[in-house]
């Protein structure tokens, strides 16, 4: 079972937060920040950004002709609109722990990750997207730290477990 550090670590001595509402009557008044969060510019630990911070695996069903065509067109659009990202080949079959055909896109900065995430939310069409960070634990990246857009697919995560020597 995973043990999680408190997300309030480092804020133990912070003053209590206000329970007042903003003029919209729904959102809470937050304290002013002395500086913006470093997460805007740098991935938080344990994400390793020396290679790339996040992988986006865009899944489609190759047996569904319309979905496969959409995925091909999406692959081309991403290559044209986001040439600064690392975009891998278009697979027409399952590879590695991925249970169906897919292609992969890597982001290198928090800004790229946020921009690509929001763009893909609108443009992914019938495709599902597995999004995971890259830490030093591929199994955890694909099981605990991942998130999905669309329908989740069951991964072959046994392939990602460290092999004993």
């Amino acid at each position: 079972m995973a043990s999680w550090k408190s997300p309030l670590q480092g804020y133990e001595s912070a003053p209590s937060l206000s329970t007042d509402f903003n003029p919209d009557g729904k959102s809470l008044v937050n304290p002013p920040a002395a500086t913006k969060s470093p997460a805007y510019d740098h991935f938080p630990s344990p994400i390793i950004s020396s290679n790339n911070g996040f992988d986006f695996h865009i899944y489609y069903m190759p047996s569904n002709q319309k979905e496969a065509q959409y995925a091909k067109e999406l692959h081309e659009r991403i290559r044209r609109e986001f040439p600064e990202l690392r975009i891998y080949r278009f697979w027409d079959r399952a590879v590695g722990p991925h249970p169906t055909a897919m292609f992969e896109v890597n982001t290198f900065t928090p800004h790229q990750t946020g921009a690509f995430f929001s763009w893909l939310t609108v443009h992914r069409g019938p495709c599902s997207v597995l999004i995971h960070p890259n830490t030093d634990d591929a199994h955890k990246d694909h099981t605990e730290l991942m998130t999905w857009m669309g329908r989740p697919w069951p991964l072959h995560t046994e392939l990602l477990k460290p092999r004993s020597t």
Side-chain angles (χ1 to χ4, degrees), residues 89-162:
R89 67 178 281 189
F90 188 84
W91 290 96
D92 60 359
R93 60 181 173 80
V95 292
H98 308 286
T100 191
M102 62 100 193
F103 64 94
E104 178 180 346
V105 178
N106 300 155
T107 59
F108 303 92
T109 69
H111 286 287
Q112 288 177 344
T113 304
F116 189 60
F117 181 95
S118 60
W119 184 90
L120 203 53
T121 298
V122 173
H123 292 91
R124 70 175 177 81
C127 301
S128 291
V129 185
L130 166 67
I131 306 160
H132 70 80
N134 290 298
T135 69
D136 63 357
D137 187 339
H139 186 263
K140 186 175 181 179
D141 295 347
H142 288 78
T143 58
E144 293 179 43
L145 301 178
M146 58 66 187
T147 193
W148 286 94
M149 283 186 196
R151 176 179 42 124
W153 288 75
L155 301 179
H156 303 293
T157 57
E158 66 280 354
L159 299 173
L160 301 170
K161 289 183 179 175

Side-chain angles (χ1 to χ4, degrees), residues 33-41 111:
T35 60
K36 69 178 183 177
S37 170
Y40 283 106
D41 297 314
H111 286 287

Side-chain angles (χ1 to χ4, degrees), residues 16-32:
S16 297
L17 291 172
S18 166
T19 56
D20 294 338
F21 289 97
N22 285 308
D24 66 11
K26 298 183 270 185
S27 63
L28 295 165
V29 173
N30 290 326

